[in-house]
Amino acid sequence: MKKFVILFIVLLYGICAFPQQKDYTAIKFKSKLRNYTKVLPKTKEFGIDKELFVELVDILTVDIFSENKKVDLSNKLWLAVSNPQKFDFVYKDYSLKTIKNWGVKIKFEDPNFEPNPYLAKWTVTEDEFIYSHWAITQILTYEGLMAYSEKAKVAQKAINELLVLEKLKFYQAKPDEYAYDYLHRNNDLLRKRGLVVLIYNYHFDYIVCKIEDKDKVIELLSRLKLEFIEP
């Protein structure tokens, strides 16, 4: 009896410790593409390497991720950008989970059942930077390290979805305020904690990092042709 109880506890711990993969057996995968490209992104030619993502993840996680989780995330980012086909295969469940509307019925639209979303996006874009921007955004947003909003009212909620900031309190959004101005006001509060929000110039994606790391983050992202600035 005692051995049975011990075995039960071990099995229960295993179930809790590792997230269960979704059962896709009842889902009919369907791609809108007739064929996927067999060409890999030219990352090396454009100076994009794995070390870029190792440095970026280390800075953006601001000490809230373990070293193992940092390594795992940087590996995923690098594989997604450099080899989307392999990424979709190796991290199938993770790949689908990062696509916000995957398998979800949206009004006037058919559900997205694309079995290889990253490879499909690369096939359609065939542009290293457009594709890498998209891939990085999906993964960092899923991991709680990037947020998006045009209106300040939405930004007020989205800013708390960033893991680094989830326990902090921010200003109320003004009725006629946009995200850029709202984040600019809240940067005054964040400076007191040694943090700063950076926003993708002319877009509405934003991230947070330590003030001392701001220039490095901007430099790393510029290598991906992503222009982030302080609002």
Side-chain angles (χ1 to χ4, degrees):
M1 181 66 180
K2 187 177 180 181
K3 289 182 179 180
F4 174 79
V5 172
I6 293 173
L7 178 60
F8 177 77
I9 292 172
V10 170
L11 290 173
L12 184 62
Y13 174 79
I15 292 171
C16 296
F18 299 98
Q20 297 299 296
Q21 182 168 315
K22 186 175 180 180
D23 181 9
Y24 295 105
T25 55
I27 295 176
K28 293 182 179 179
F29 289 92
K30 184 179 181 181
S31 178
K32 294 179 180 179
L33 301 178
R34 183 170 294 180
N35 295 297
Y36 297 115
T37 182
K38 295 182 180 179
V39 177
L40 292 178
K42 301 184 193 73
T43 51
K44 187 177 181 180
E45 289 85 338
F46 291 110
I48 302 171
D49 55 23
K50 186 177 180 179
E51 186 59 30
L52 187 159
F53 296 102
V54 171
E55 291 186 69
L56 187 63
V57 166
D58 187 53
I59 293 173
L60 295 185
T61 52
V62 192
D63 305 323
I64 59 173
F65 281 15
S66 67
E67 288 303 316
N68 285 341
K69 192 167 182 181
K70 286 181 183 181
V71 170
D72 181 58
L73 179 54
S74 59
N75 285 342
K76 285 173 178 172
L77 283 166
W78 168 239
L79 191 59
V81 169
S82 63
N83 194 328
Q85 181 179 18
K86 185 179 286 187
F87 176 77
D88 282 328
F89 178 77
V90 175
Y91 297 109
K92 172 63 70 179
D93 194 53
Y94 182 88
S95 169
L96 300 182
K97 284 180 179 177
T98 62
I99 310 302
K100 197 170 184 179
N101 66 337
W102 197 92
V104 177
K105 177 65 178 176
I106 301 175
K107 194 175 183 180
F108 305 123
E109 291 184 30
D110 292 328
N112 174 14
F113 290 125
E114 169 58 57
N116 302 290
Y118 286 75
L119 179 57
K121 188 68 175 182
W122 166 238
T123 299
V124 172
T125 61
E126 292 189 327
D127 182 292
E128 280 76 7
F129 293 103
I130 291 176
Y131 167 70
S132 64
H133 297 176
W134 177 85
I136 291 165
T137 298
Q138 306 312 306
I139 294 173
L140 290 184
T141 301
Y142 178 75
E143 294 289 348
L145 299 174
M146 181 178 280
Y148 171 91
S149 60
E150 296 180 37
K151 294 288 187 178
K153 194 170 183 180
V154 179
Q156 186 176 334
K157 177 184 178 183
I159 196 171
N160 281 114
E161 293 176 357
L162 292 170
L163 293 182
V164 180
L165 308 179
E166 63 180 352
K167 294 181 181 178
L168 303 182
K169 291 186 178 181
F170 299 95
Y171 291 123
Q172 288 285 347
K174 297 176 182 178
D176 58 346
E177 195 172 28
Y178 282 89
Y180 186 97
D181 301 306
Y182 176 73
L183 295 173
H184 174 76
R185 285 199 298 126
N186 281 289
N187 261 339
D188 292 335
L189 297 176
L190 291 175
R191 284 190 190 94
K192 298 174 183 177
R193 295 178 176 269
L195 300 171
V196 62
V197 168
L198 301 176
I199 192 168
Y200 185 13
N201 204 13
Y202 306 116
H203 296 73
F204 303 97
D205 296 299
Y206 49 93
I207 55 179
V208 64
C209 66
K210 293 179 181 178
I211 292 175
E212 63 200 61
D213 294 325
K214 181 181 75 171
D215 292 339
K216 184 62 178 178
V217 170
I218 291 173
E219 185 269 322
L220 288 171
L221 291 172
S222 70
R223 287 167 55 187
L224 295 161
K225 292 189 178 180
L226 287 166
E227 185 186 1
F228 273 77
I229 61 172
E230 183 178 344

